[in-house]
Amino acid sequence: MKNEKPSKNWKAKIHEIIYGTHTPAGKLFDILLLVLIVYSVIIVMLESVPRFDTKHHRFLNISEWVVTILFSIEYILRVICINKPKKYVFSFFGIIDFLSTIPKYLAFFFVGSQYLTAFRALRLLRVFRILKLVRFVGESNKLINALRASRTKISVFVFFVLIISVLLGTLMYLIEGPEHGFNSIPHSVYWTIVTLTTVGYGDISPETPMGQFLATLIMIIGYGVIAVPTGIVSAEYASNLNPNKTMDEGRSCPNCSCEIKRSDADYCRKCGYKLTEDDDD
Amino acid sequence: MKNEKPSKNWKAKIHEIIYGTHTPAGKLFDILLLVLIVYSVIIVMLESVPRFDTKHHRFLNISEWVVTILFSIEYILRVICINKPKKYVFSFFGIIDFLSTIPKYLAFFFVGSQYLTAFRALRLLRVFRILKLVRFVGESNKLINALRASRTKISVFVFFVLIISVLLGTLMYLIEGPEHGFNSIPHSVYWTIVTLTTVGYGDISPETPMGQFLATLIMIIGYGVIAVPTGIVSAEYASNLNPNKTMDEGRSCPNCSCEIKRSDADYCRKCGYKLTEDDDD
Amino acid sequence: MKNEKPSKNWKAKIHEIIYGTHTPAGKLFDILLLVLIVYSVIIVMLESVPRFDTKHHRFLNISEWVVTILFSIEYILRVICINKPKKYVFSFFGIIDFLSTIPKYLAFFFVGSQYLTAFRALRLLRVFRILKLVRFVGESNKLINALRASRTKISVFVFFVLIISVLLGTLMYLIEGPEHGFNSIPHSVYWTIVTLTTVGYGDISPETPMGQFLATLIMIIGYGVIAVPTGIVSAEYASNLNPNKTMDEGRSCPNCSCEIKRSDADYCRKCGYKLTEDDDD
Amino acid sequence: MKNEKPSKNWKAKIHEIIYGTHTPAGKLFDILLLVLIVYSVIIVMLESVPRFDTKHHRFLNISEWVVTILFSIEYILRVICINKPKKYVFSFFGIIDFLSTIPKYLAFFFVGSQYLTAFRALRLLRVFRILKLVRFVGESNKLINALRASRTKISVFVFFVLIISVLLGTLMYLIEGPEHGFNSIPHSVYWTIVTLTTVGYGDISPETPMGQFLATLIMIIGYGVIAVPTGIVSAEYASNLNPNKTMDEGRSCPNCSCEIKRSDADYCRKCGYKLTEDDDD
């Protein structure tokens, strides 16, 4: 970092501001971008409220134009100042950036298309670009590690939940039938998941005693089984917190090269080789 | 594995493909079977949707025939290539395989019977046959161990929850009565479980102030008590993650009498004394 | 146990059967009593179902008489064979036993009184008498210990939840008002607890944007805060599982009498007194 | 504490009673104040129930006056007996105390104003003043520590949940649309949070198959993700329970170089070496 040349050209400077985060200008840019993204998403949300839209239509339209123009400038700068523009343009965030910029331009050609709202909502995904930089802050990093470590287990768990839901949903369909709102097996499976996850809308609810009994069973299963993912993440997270585990990874016996698992070991537990020199005299 | 004879007869080969999982052919067979099972279950589900059934009845009927024929072939091969066919036929999965094959044949005799759908839904249980092989993959194994270890505790817990539900349900029946939808004690107990597990359909809800007060109490109990199974599974799971907890209680070095904390230790980690005799020669 | 005299009188024998659990006869009695209690509770439940009651009224009436007579005999035997009958009669379970026996006799005097059902439901509490004996089986014992250890913390937690509920409920009452179903502050607090505990009946739900915003906030609080009791019980339960913690309680330094907290300590950590004699030579 | 002068003036005595907690008079004052606060809050709650208000209006009015006068006396005493009255008056609790005293006086000027109820509900916040003193009792202290330690992580988590809710809510708005009750994006986001937190009022529920499929997905996400805050708090709490985790990393005996595991150790538990210099004379 010491010997950086002062003779940077303007492209490198813009690159540092837009892509970098360790300079004051870069940080400021990230914060401004975050504000702009959040603002643009709020505009999209408010536009969908009929009462607000009819009242402040002009204001929303101007805001949308401002956001679109600023995003356009940012997109062009990103493409210009990077070394390999193609790689950026076709990357995940490159496409998101492009799609979240164009809706207002497209509105000239496809008047009133509702699907443009979807494109504009994509802007929210841009938040993750900034979060990607923040996630090294530590806390969120730990969270993501715990989630990643338990990913396979949670997938296995969700898979089991789905199989059980299909089986119990079919059973409920046979017991209650279309006359009590369980119109089809997929609909019954939907109800089973609503119940198993303890959401319980109440748009459909069992009416026969047999159906209510089975529903009770499903709830208790859901109530007990909710413990499993919690248990997994808790345990993973706790083992991340526990410094003893992480610190000793990598220490190994110089004699037999087996892993030393306890941090307070003086001798290798496999070959008896003395690990610590300090006790000699 | 080295000295396997090349002169296997065809029965042994089919046996290896159908029951085995460590040959490429065996793996391919398992994957194809999994796809077929999932496909057959989707057919059953779609058939129950009235709108879809009237439109694509022909397609569903043919699909069902294809699945039935393929399952029939598989079932016959399973019976032929095994050494003790009787044991297979009357085993749990043997019966499941049989019942999930016959519904279409039975449809000739019992026209339009709804209960055949139940038989066909049984096909989903066949997924567990394949999962049985996969569960040694590790992750799901750990999950199952944690669940098995906490089985008794969760049963005790569910038992307590049921007693509390019956008591509180009876109380709610006496407070609210049939005029507010609490028609009978079993119905009140059903409502109590709906509330205690935080599902909350809202098909019945208390209307008297006294009933609402008791409902509030039930919710807070449910909210606090949901912690118990989670705590159990978390703790069991965590102690599974941490291998040196359960096995090593009480083992100590005969030389320096310090505690041996790792079950795989051959030498004391404190004084270097050799713990295991087996390695002598 | 060896030198028990064979010349026991009948009172002692009955006492052993009714109160004891370690003889085969005592175990059999407990199981029969459990079956009778469960049966009597099912009778009470079924009697409250109008359709079932009109159909099988005669059967329910006879069953109730059988249960009442058997409970009467048991109660009389309990009083006769115990040394201090008064202490039993006025003990918690003595009163429960009495109250759960008399409803049918009282029905002669107070015809059709609904409150007798409440007395009869008390029978369920008798199950705990038998469970009291079983709870030493181990698993439920651990569960109860974990719950007892976290009792104070859960009370503190519930107390905080109640204060927050009253505050947020009052706020919701002021925002939504009686015209959207939030009739009074107690009713609003009821709604807040229904939401905070994620039960969500939907009998009342916010209709103004401001109210929905606050509801969203309450849900996220509830969602995050549900973790606290779970965390408490998990941690308590895990520390119960962990044998190191429990074993060292009570060991103290003979020199300065401070508590020795680590099981592998050779010297007192407070005064430096040598704790272990084995290392002397 | 020994040499306290007996010649305290009346201000100091009142200060000790009102602000202190370690004298019998101070404890009694705190308990009486707690009772008065709870009583005043119950009065506010009951006044909002129309049926109760019309019946007992006179009683409620007198109660309110009694509470107001007692609070006024207390407030004046607090201001008089403290050394820096200004600091108290403009402190958080000073303002709360003031605002919770005046509503009845204000009622002369602003007749029937509903917002005075809000001021009166603020009285509940005064409970925390007393709790502040109690929180050193231990249990609640641990709870607060665990919550504080996991504050950042839970904020990060809530932030992620909000982003996901906005994305999924927009998607649901596009799929279901205003014709199925999803009137606007903010309303859809509200529904998404209701579902994700497993509250599930059922005031709006998806009706198209596509919407129900996405709802199912949201529920399963919510069901799995609820584990994260629980895991965080559990782990934090557990590491609080276990005192020798956080503080002692890296401290080791200068004599035998073994790890010092307890932060309150004065001597090495392995070699008896004196660790602390302070005890020398």
Side-chain angles (χ1 to χ4, degrees):
Chain A
M1 295 284 169
K2 271 184 205 166
N3 299 316
E4 271 180 34
K5 284 180 207 166
S7 63
K8 272 179 182 174
N9 60 354
W10 63 273
K11 270 194 189 180
K13 267 177 195 159
I14 290 171
H15 185 275
E16 199 182 85
I17 291 168
I18 292 182
Y19 290 95
T21 49
H22 53 280
T23 60
K27 270 180 197 165
L28 188 73
F29 177 81
D30 278 351
I31 291 162
L32 287 177
L33 187 58
L34 188 63
V35 169
L36 194 65
I37 291 168
V38 169
Y39 181 74
S40 73
V41 171
I42 289 170
I43 294 297
V44 174
M45 288 175 81
L46 289 177
E47 215 180 296
S48 77
V49 184
R51 229 180 331 157
F52 193 92
D53 190 38
T54 47
K55 251 200 212 158
H56 307 275
H57 190 70
R58 221 181 116 83
F59 164 73
L60 289 172
N61 198 32
I62 292 170
S63 293
E64 182 61 27
W65 268 117
V66 170
V67 167
T68 301
I69 289 165
L70 287 174
F71 276 6
S72 304
I73 294 168
E74 185 220 347
Y75 185 73
I76 291 164
L77 285 177
R78 277 191 192 273
V79 172
I80 289 174
C81 74
I82 210 164
N83 287 330
K84 296 176 188 167
K86 264 196 182 164
K87 209 182 157 192
Y88 163 69
V89 169
F90 296 105
S91 71
F92 176 71
F93 277 114
I95 292 164
I96 294 288
D97 289 357
F98 183 72
L99 290 178
S100 61
T101 308
I102 53 168
K104 201 67 192 173
Y105 301 126
L106 288 177
F108 283 113
F109 307 100
F110 312 94
V111 182
S113 172
Q114 198 193 26
Y115 293 100
L116 296 180
T117 309
F119 278 141
R120 286 165 65 197
L122 281 176
R123 284 174 188 161
L124 202 62
L125 286 177
R126 300 196 65 195
V127 170
F128 285 105
R129 170 199 285 285
I130 297 159
L131 289 178
K132 233 177 41 172
L133 309 167
V134 184
R135 73 176 227 200
F136 297 104
V137 171
E139 298 304 352
S140 61
N141 209 18
K142 270 185 201 173
L143 252 178
I144 289 160
N145 280 350
L147 273 179
R148 186 172 296 154
S150 38
R151 200 178 36 188
T152 338
K153 284 150 213 165
I154 286 178
S155 307
V156 169
F157 173 73
V158 165
F159 183 71
F160 271 94
V161 165
L162 284 179
I163 291 179
I164 291 168
S165 298
V166 171
L167 280 173
L168 291 173
T170 308
L171 216 59
M172 278 309 273
Y173 171 73
L174 294 172
I175 291 171
E176 292 275 326
E179 62 272 23
H180 296 119
F182 293 77
N183 302 315
S184 63
I185 295 181
H187 204 213
S188 280
V189 171
Y190 159 73
W191 174 86
T192 309
I193 291 174
V194 167
T195 302
L196 203 67
T197 53
T198 78
V199 171
Y201 287 130
D203 49 349
I204 333 163
S205 58
E207 285 165 43
T208 61
M210 190 62 198
Q212 292 183 342
F213 181 78
L214 188 60
T216 301
L217 210 83
I218 293 172
M219 284 168 218
I220 289 176
I221 291 174
Y223 193 59
V225 153
I226 207 175
V228 177
T230 309
I232 294 168
V233 177
S234 295
E236 292 289 345
Y237 191 82
S239 78
N240 269 12
L241 261 192
N242 193 342
N244 285 9
K245 268 220 178 122
T246 2
M247 281 165 58
D248 301 300
E249 285 165 19
R251 190 175 159 217
S252 62
C253 173
N255 188 35
C256 72
S257 80
C258 84
E259 200 187 346
I260 304 299
K261 298 221 168 154
R262 289 203 59 88
S263 56
D264 57 347
D266 296 331
Y267 292 85
C268 173
R269 77 185 194 285
K270 278 292 163 204
C271 66
Y273 184 83
K274 188 182 259 193
L275 296 168
T276 46
E277 310 298 312
D278 341 336
D279 279 2
D280 263 344
D281 50 344
Chain B
M1 295 285 169
K2 272 184 200 166
N3 299 316
E4 271 180 33
K5 285 181 206 165
S7 62
K8 272 181 185 173
N9 61 355
W10 63 273
K11 269 192 191 181
K13 265 178 195 160
I14 288 170
H15 185 274
E16 199 184 84
I17 290 167
I18 292 182
Y19 290 94
T21 49
H22 54 278
T23 61
K27 270 178 193 164
L28 188 72
F29 177 82
D30 278 350
I31 290 162
L32 286 177
L33 187 58
L34 188 64
V35 169
L36 194 64
I37 291 167
V38 169
Y39 180 75
S40 73
V41 170
I42 289 169
I43 293 297
V44 174
M45 289 175 80
L46 288 178
E47 215 179 297
S48 78
V49 184
R51 227 180 332 159
F52 193 92
D53 190 37
T54 47
K55 249 199 212 159
H56 306 276
H57 189 71
R58 220 181 117 83
F59 163 74
L60 289 173
N61 198 32
I62 293 169
S63 292
E64 181 61 28
W65 268 118
V66 170
V67 167
T68 301
I69 290 164
L70 287 174
F71 276 7
S72 306
I73 294 168
E74 185 221 346
Y75 184 74
I76 292 164
L77 284 178
R78 275 189 193 272
V79 173
I80 289 174
C81 75
I82 211 164
N83 288 330
K84 295 175 189 169
K86 263 193 182 166
K87 209 182 152 190
Y88 163 70
V89 169
F90 295 105
S91 72
F92 176 70
F93 277 113
I95 292 164
I96 294 288
D97 289 356
F98 183 71
L99 290 177
S100 62
T101 307
I102 54 167
K104 201 68 192 173
Y105 301 126
L106 288 177
F108 284 113
F109 307 99
F110 312 93
V111 182
S113 171
Q114 197 193 28
Y115 293 99
L116 295 180
T117 310
F119 278 141
R120 286 164 65 198
L122 281 176
R123 283 173 189 160
L124 201 62
L125 286 177
R126 301 196 65 195
V127 170
F128 286 104
R129 170 199 284 285
I130 297 159
L131 288 178
K132 231 176 42 169
L133 309 168
V134 184
R135 74 175 224 199
F136 297 103
V137 171
E139 297 304 354
S140 59
N141 209 18
K142 271 185 199 173
L143 251 178
I144 288 160
N145 280 349
L147 273 178
R148 186 172 295 152
S150 39
R151 200 178 36 187
T152 338
K153 283 150 214 164
I154 285 178
S155 307
V156 169
F157 172 74
V158 165
F159 183 71
F160 272 94
V161 166
L162 283 179
I163 291 179
I164 291 168
S165 298
V166 171
L167 280 173
L168 292 173
T170 308
L171 216 59
M172 278 309 273
Y173 171 73
L174 293 172
I175 291 171
E176 292 276 327
E179 62 272 22
H180 296 119
F182 293 77
N183 302 314
S184 63
I185 295 181
H187 204 213
S188 280
V189 171
Y190 159 73
W191 174 87
T192 309
I193 292 174
V194 166
T195 301
L196 202 66
T197 54
T198 77
V199 172
Y201 286 131
D203 49 350
I204 333 165
S205 57
E207 285 164 45
T208 62
M210 190 62 198
Q212 291 183 341
F213 180 77
L214 187 61
T216 301
L217 210 83
I218 294 173
M219 284 168 219
I220 288 176
I221 290 174
Y223 194 57
V225 153
I226 207 175
V228 178
T230 309
I232 294 168
V233 178
S234 294
E236 291 290 343
Y237 192 82
S239 78
N240 268 13
L241 262 192
N242 193 348
N244 41 336
K245 240 174 208 165
T246 8
M247 291 163 63
D248 308 292
E249 291 168 15
R251 191 175 160 214
S252 62
C253 175
N255 189 37
C256 71
S257 79
C258 84
E259 200 187 348
I260 304 299
K261 297 215 171 157
R262 292 204 58 88
S263 57
D264 57 349
D266 295 332
Y267 290 86
C268 173
R269 76 182 194 287
K270 279 290 162 204
C271 66
Y273 185 83
K274 188 182 261 193
L275 297 167
T276 47
E277 311 298 312
D278 344 335
D279 280 0
D280 264 344
D281 52 343
Chain C
M1 295 286 168
K2 270 182 200 166
N3 299 316
E4 271 180 34
K5 285 180 208 165
S7 63
K8 273 183 184 171
N9 61 356
W10 62 271
K11 269 194 188 178
K13 265 178 194 158
I14 288 171
H15 185 275
E16 199 183 85
I17 290 168
I18 292 182
Y19 289 94
T21 48
H22 54 277
T23 61
K27 268 178 196 163
L28 188 71
F29 177 81
D30 278 351
I31 290 162
L32 286 177
L33 187 59
L34 188 64
V35 169
L36 194 65
I37 291 167
V38 169
Y39 181 75
S40 73
V41 171
I42 289 169
I43 293 297
V44 175
M45 289 175 79
L46 288 177
E47 216 179 297
S48 77
V49 184
R51 226 182 330 160
F52 193 92
D53 189 39
T54 47
K55 250 198 211 159
H56 306 277
H57 189 70
R58 220 180 118 82
F59 163 74
L60 289 173
N61 200 31
I62 293 171
S63 293
E64 182 60 26
W65 269 117
V66 169
V67 167
T68 300
I69 290 165
L70 287 174
F71 275 7
S72 306
I73 295 170
E74 185 220 346
Y75 184 73
I76 292 163
L77 286 177
R78 276 190 192 272
V79 172
I80 289 175
C81 75
I82 211 165
N83 287 330
K84 298 174 187 168
K86 264 196 184 165
K87 209 182 152 190
Y88 162 70
V89 168
F90 296 105
S91 72
F92 176 70
F93 277 115
I95 292 164
I96 294 288
D97 289 357
F98 183 70
L99 289 177
S100 61
T101 307
I102 54 166
K104 202 67 192 174
Y105 301 126
L106 288 178
F108 283 112
F109 307 100
F110 312 94
V111 182
S113 172
Q114 199 194 27
Y115 293 99
L116 296 179
T117 309
F119 279 141
R120 286 165 66 198
L122 281 177
R123 283 172 187 162
L124 202 62
L125 286 177
R126 301 196 66 196
V127 169
F128 285 105
R129 171 198 283 286
I130 297 160
L131 288 179
K132 231 176 43 169
L133 310 167
V134 184
R135 74 174 225 199
F136 297 102
V137 171
E139 298 303 353
S140 60
N141 209 17
K142 270 185 200 172
L143 252 177
I144 288 160
N145 280 350
L147 274 178
R148 185 172 295 153
S150 39
R151 202 178 34 187
T152 338
K153 283 151 214 164
I154 285 178
S155 306
V156 170
F157 172 74
V158 165
F159 183 71
F160 273 94
V161 165
L162 283 178
I163 291 180
I164 291 168
S165 298
V166 171
L167 280 173
L168 292 173
T170 308
L171 217 59
M172 278 309 272
Y173 170 73
L174 293 173
I175 290 171
E176 292 275 327
E179 63 271 22
H180 296 119
F182 292 78
N183 302 315
S184 64
I185 296 181
H187 204 212
S188 279
V189 172
Y190 160 73
W191 174 86
T192 309
I193 292 174
V194 167
T195 301
L196 201 67
T197 54
T198 77
V199 171
Y201 287 131
D203 49 350
I204 332 164
S205 57
E207 284 164 44
T208 62
M210 190 62 197
Q212 291 184 339
F213 180 77
L214 188 60
T216 301
L217 210 83
I218 294 172
M219 284 169 220
I220 288 175
I221 290 173
Y223 193 59
V225 153
I226 207 175
V228 178
T230 310
I232 294 167
V233 177
S234 294
E236 291 290 342
Y237 191 84
S239 78
N240 268 13
L241 262 192
N242 194 342
N244 286 8
K245 270 222 178 122
T246 3
M247 280 164 60
D248 302 300
E249 285 167 17
R251 191 177 158 214
S252 63
C253 174
N255 189 36
C256 71
S257 78
C258 83
E259 201 187 347
I260 304 299
K261 297 220 170 155
R262 292 204 58 88
S263 57
D264 57 347
D266 295 332
Y267 292 85
C268 174
R269 76 183 194 286
K270 279 291 163 202
C271 65
Y273 185 83
K274 189 181 258 194
L275 296 167
T276 46
E277 310 298 311
D278 343 336
D279 280 1
D280 262 345
D281 51 343
Chain D
M1 295 285 168
K2 270 183 205 167
N3 299 317
E4 271 180 34
K5 286 180 206 164
S7 62
K8 273 181 182 172
N9 59 356
W10 62 273
K11 268 193 188 180
K13 265 178 197 159
I14 288 171
H15 184 275
E16 200 183 86
I17 290 167
I18 291 181
Y19 290 95
T21 49
H22 55 280
T23 61
K27 269 179 196 164
L28 188 72
F29 177 82
D30 279 349
I31 290 162
L32 286 177
L33 187 59
L34 188 64
V35 170
L36 194 65
I37 291 168
V38 169
Y39 181 74
S40 73
V41 170
I42 289 169
I43 293 295
V44 174
M45 288 175 81
L46 288 177
E47 215 179 295
S48 77
V49 184
R51 229 179 331 158
F52 193 91
D53 189 38
T54 48
K55 252 200 212 158
H56 307 276
H57 189 71
R58 220 181 117 82
F59 164 74
L60 288 173
N61 198 31
I62 293 170
S63 292
E64 182 60 27
W65 269 118
V66 170
V67 167
T68 299
I69 289 165
L70 287 173
F71 275 7
S72 305
I73 294 170
E74 186 220 347
Y75 184 73
I76 291 163
L77 286 177
R78 275 191 193 272
V79 172
I80 289 175
C81 75
I82 211 164
N83 288 330
K84 297 177 188 165
K86 264 195 182 163
K87 208 182 156 191
Y88 163 70
V89 169
F90 296 105
S91 71
F92 176 70
F93 277 113
I95 293 164
I96 295 287
D97 290 356
F98 183 71
L99 290 178
S100 62
T101 308
I102 53 167
K104 201 68 192 173
Y105 301 126
L106 288 177
F108 283 112
F109 307 100
F110 312 95
V111 182
S113 173
Q114 199 193 26
Y115 293 100
L116 296 180
T117 311
F119 279 140
R120 287 164 66 197
L122 280 177
R123 285 173 187 162
L124 203 63
L125 285 177
R126 301 196 64 195
V127 170
F128 285 106
R129 171 198 283 283
I130 297 160
L131 288 179
K132 231 176 43 170
L133 309 168
V134 184
R135 73 174 227 200
F136 296 104
V137 171
E139 297 304 352
S140 59
N141 208 17
K142 269 185 200 172
L143 253 177
I144 289 161
N145 280 349
L147 274 178
R148 186 172 297 153
S150 38
R151 201 179 35 190
T152 339
K153 283 151 213 163
I154 285 179
S155 307
V156 169
F157 172 73
V158 165
F159 183 71
F160 271 95
V161 165
L162 283 179
I163 291 180
I164 291 169
S165 298
V166 172
L167 280 174
L168 292 173
T170 309
L171 216 59
M172 278 310 273
Y173 172 73
L174 293 173
I175 290 171
E176 292 276 326
E179 63 271 22
H180 296 118
F182 293 77
N183 303 314
S184 63
I185 294 180
H187 204 211
S188 280
V189 172
Y190 159 73
W191 174 87
T192 309
I193 292 174
V194 167
T195 302
L196 202 67
T197 54
T198 77
V199 171
Y201 287 130
D203 49 350
I204 333 163
S205 57
E207 284 165 45
T208 62
M210 191 60 198
Q212 292 184 340
F213 181 76
L214 187 60
T216 301
L217 211 82
I218 293 171
M219 285 169 219
I220 288 176
I221 290 173
Y223 193 58
V225 154
I226 207 175
V228 178
T230 309
I232 293 168
V233 178
S234 294
E236 290 291 344
Y237 191 84
S239 77
N240 268 13
L241 260 192
N242 195 347
N244 43 335
K245 241 173 207 166
T246 7
M247 289 164 62
D248 306 292
E249 290 167 17
R251 191 173 159 218
S252 61
C253 175
N255 187 37
C256 73
S257 81
C258 85
E259 200 186 348
I260 304 299
K261 298 219 169 156
R262 291 204 59 87
S263 56
D264 57 347
D266 295 331
Y267 291 85
C268 173
R269 77 184 194 286
K270 280 290 162 206
C271 66
Y273 184 82
K274 186 182 262 192
L275 296 169
T276 47
E277 310 298 313
D278 342 337
D279 279 1
D280 264 344
D281 51 347

